[in-house]
Amino acid sequence: MDNSLEIGEKMTHWYVLQTKTGGEEKLVEMIQRMIPGKFYGECFVIYHEQLWRRQQQNFIHVKRAFPGYVFITSREPEALFFCLKKLPAMTKMIADEESFFLSLDLEETEFLQKIMDDRHVIGLSYLETDGNGKILQVSGPLRFCVREMVYCRFGKRYAIVRIKLLGKEKDVLLGIVLKEDIYQEIRYGKIEAPVCFPESLGWTGKIKGRGQDKVEKEKDGF
């Protein structure tokens, strides 16, 4: 399948650079500093938000959604790959030389674009239940993959979805909030992403406009 997205008369492609976990931001910084901008569009790490409850307070942690993965877009993938291979420091950053530069297909690319915002952050999803574990309504990123949900941990405020990435199935954590959470102040806690976040979050404004899907089918294990 072609993994290209049309931009004007040209095409751009999404790729994954596999690096050592914990070194993702360093790799992005190095590429932005040493690779000419004409060879790539964006280079970024995708993050997700997860709600943590501690001492009767709610905190949002922002963590890497795909540890070890750096995403990069390019219209000149061969030239980009050649530039990356020429960097002496690159050999220390990559996890596996054979799978260092991998292409995403169009379906995978479009899915990631749907669930993340322009900061490359997968925000929290709002779930409404019947009180017995059956999900009645979903809004936020999870609405795009509710049928791929493997299980949901309401107490720990996350759901696991099984998606296709690089042609393989991969379990991904998506953070959730419940009805009782939106009436409480939610503050940001640990943030791995090098982007700015507010000190606290007003959920009434965040949910508005994201759209909601009613869940007609009850999945086993929820």
Side-chain angles (χ1 to χ4, degrees):
M1 182 183 293
D2 184 11
N3 75 324
S4 57
L5 292 177
E6 189 171 357
I7 296 184
E9 296 181 354
K10 294 186 177 181
M11 310 294 284
T12 189
H13 304 250
W14 281 43
Y15 297 87
V16 167
L17 308 178
Q18 294 199 56
T19 186
K20 298 173 183 177
T21 301
E24 297 90 347
E25 290 79 15
K26 292 181 181 179
L27 179 56
V28 170
E29 182 183 354
M30 184 175 68
I31 289 173
Q32 292 174 341
R33 188 176 69 251
M34 304 183 72
I35 300 296
K38 63 181 180 180
F39 293 125
Y40 72 98
E42 288 187 285
C43 184
F44 55 91
V45 178
I46 298 178
Y47 302 90
H48 67 246
E49 296 180 338
Q50 183 180 357
L51 186 68
W52 290 75
R53 307 176 74 189
R54 186 172 65 246
Q55 296 178 348
Q56 297 183 338
Q57 290 183 308
N58 293 330
F59 295 90
I60 297 175
H61 290 187
V62 183
K63 298 184 177 182
R64 302 177 190 95
F66 304 97
Y69 285 14
V70 168
F71 296 82
I72 191 166
T73 66
S74 178
R75 301 174 188 173
E76 303 288 344
E78 293 183 0
L80 172 61
F81 181 73
F82 181 73
C83 288
L84 291 171
K85 294 287 287 185
K86 285 177 61 178
L87 293 179
M90 189 62 66
T91 57
K92 299 179 181 179
M93 303 293 294
I94 63 177
D96 184 350
E97 187 170 351
E98 293 185 359
S99 59
F100 166 59
F101 191 78
L102 301 175
S103 172
L104 294 180
D105 66 29
L106 180 59
E107 182 181 354
E108 295 168 341
T109 299
E110 290 180 337
F111 174 73
L112 292 177
Q113 289 181 313
K114 285 180 181 179
I115 65 172
M116 70 181 186
D117 60 23
D118 56 5
R119 300 171 301 173
H120 310 115
V121 177
I122 304 171
L124 296 172
S125 297
Y126 172 75
L127 298 188
E128 186 174 329
T129 72
D130 65 352
N132 295 313
K134 181 180 178 180
I135 300 173
L136 301 176
Q137 202 168 59
V138 181
S139 66
L142 190 57
R143 67 189 290 258
F144 297 108
C145 50
V146 67
R147 295 190 180 278
E148 284 71 45
M149 197 184 312
V150 180
Y151 60 86
C152 191
R153 294 288 181 263
F154 297 107
K156 293 187 177 293
R157 300 300 195 269
Y158 71 82
I160 297 294
V161 298
R162 185 161 294 156
I163 67 172
K164 186 167 75 76
L165 192 67
L166 299 174
K168 300 179 181 179
E169 289 188 339
K170 187 175 184 64
D171 288 354
V172 179
L173 183 150
L174 297 185
I176 63 172
V177 292
L178 304 179
K179 189 173 183 178
E180 58 262 36
D181 300 321
I182 65 176
Y183 299 108
Q184 303 175 26
E185 182 182 24
I186 301 176
R187 304 183 65 85
Y188 278 92
K190 181 180 179 181
I191 298 176
E192 294 179 349
V195 294
C196 295
F197 290 86
E199 290 185 3
S200 61
L201 186 65
W203 262 97
T204 302
K206 184 153 182 139
I207 292 175
K208 184 178 180 180
R210 286 203 170 192
Q212 295 182 342
D213 283 349
K214 290 185 178 180
V215 179
E216 299 176 354
K217 172 178 147 184
E218 181 178 5
K219 293 175 67 83
D220 295 335
F222 289 1

